[in-house]
């Protein structure tokens, strides 16, 4: 079983910064990719950023230049550094990972979600 535990969310003023962390644990043999999605009120969950095991990154256009994704492979932890935050960044942020376990060659796992609120 694999778990993703997110931390670092909260209330931040517009223009401020926040760093989210997501630690993966369990029967993990390899992590192919980790990323962050977000969901504002409504049905759509959108990709914020992702990083592959080789270090390739991908960002949503709406966050390019303001957000940096990074990973600590030794800790199986992915980080999302967000700067110059805007009210439209308010959402529940979900950590996502594609992993290989002792049972599955490829398994997609989601965190429970963490709230980020940008407001003055």
């Amino acid at each position: 079983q694999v778990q993703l535990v997110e931390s670092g969310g909260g209330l931040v003023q517009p223009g401020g910064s926040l760093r989210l962390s997501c630690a993966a644990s369990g029967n993990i043999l390899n992590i192919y990719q980790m990323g962050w999605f977000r969901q504002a009120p409504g049905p759509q969950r959108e990709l914020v950023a992702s990083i592959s095991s080789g270090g390739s990154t991908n960002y949503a256009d709406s966050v390019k230049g303001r957000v940096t994704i990074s990973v600590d492979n030794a800790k199986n932890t992915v980080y999302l550094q967000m700067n110059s935050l805007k009210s439209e960044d308010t959402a529940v942020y979900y950590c996502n990972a594609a992993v290989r376990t002792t049972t599955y060659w490829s398994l997609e796992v989601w965190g429970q979600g963490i709230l980020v609120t940008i407001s003055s």
Side-chain angles (χ1 to χ4, degrees):
Q1 192 170 2
V2 177
Q3 288 185 324
L4 301 179
V5 179
E6 300 127 330
S7 61
L11 174 64
V12 178
Q13 291 187 340
S17 297
L18 202 63
R19 190 176 84 152
L20 304 181
S21 301
C22 171
S25 62
N27 299 325
I28 299 171
L29 297 179
N30 189 30
I31 297 179
Y32 301 116
Q33 180 168 286
M34 297 188 81
W36 290 92
F37 288 72
R38 68 185 180 186
Q39 187 166 16
Q44 201 76 9
R45 184 176 295 188
E46 64 171 356
L47 173 70
V48 178
S50 64
I51 184 166
S52 70
S53 58
S56 296
T57 57
N58 184 38
Y59 294 95
D61 288 342
S62 58
V63 303
K64 281 181 181 177
R66 302 188 295 119
V67 165
T68 302
I69 190 169
S70 61
V71 64
D72 184 331
N73 292 315
K75 296 181 179 179
N76 285 345
T77 298
V78 64
Y79 304 97
L80 190 71
Q81 177 67 45
M82 300 187 291
N83 302 320
S84 303
L85 285 163
K86 306 174 182 179
S87 58
E88 50 262 44
D89 294 316
T90 295
V92 177
Y93 283 70
Y94 295 90
C95 181
N96 173 272
V99 304
R100 180 185 174 189
T101 73
T102 55
T103 304
Y104 297 100
W105 185 265
S106 181
L107 178 68
E108 184 178 32
V109 189
W110 289 92
Q112 77 282 1
I114 191 165
L115 180 62
V116 172
T117 303
I118 312 304
S119 176
S120 55

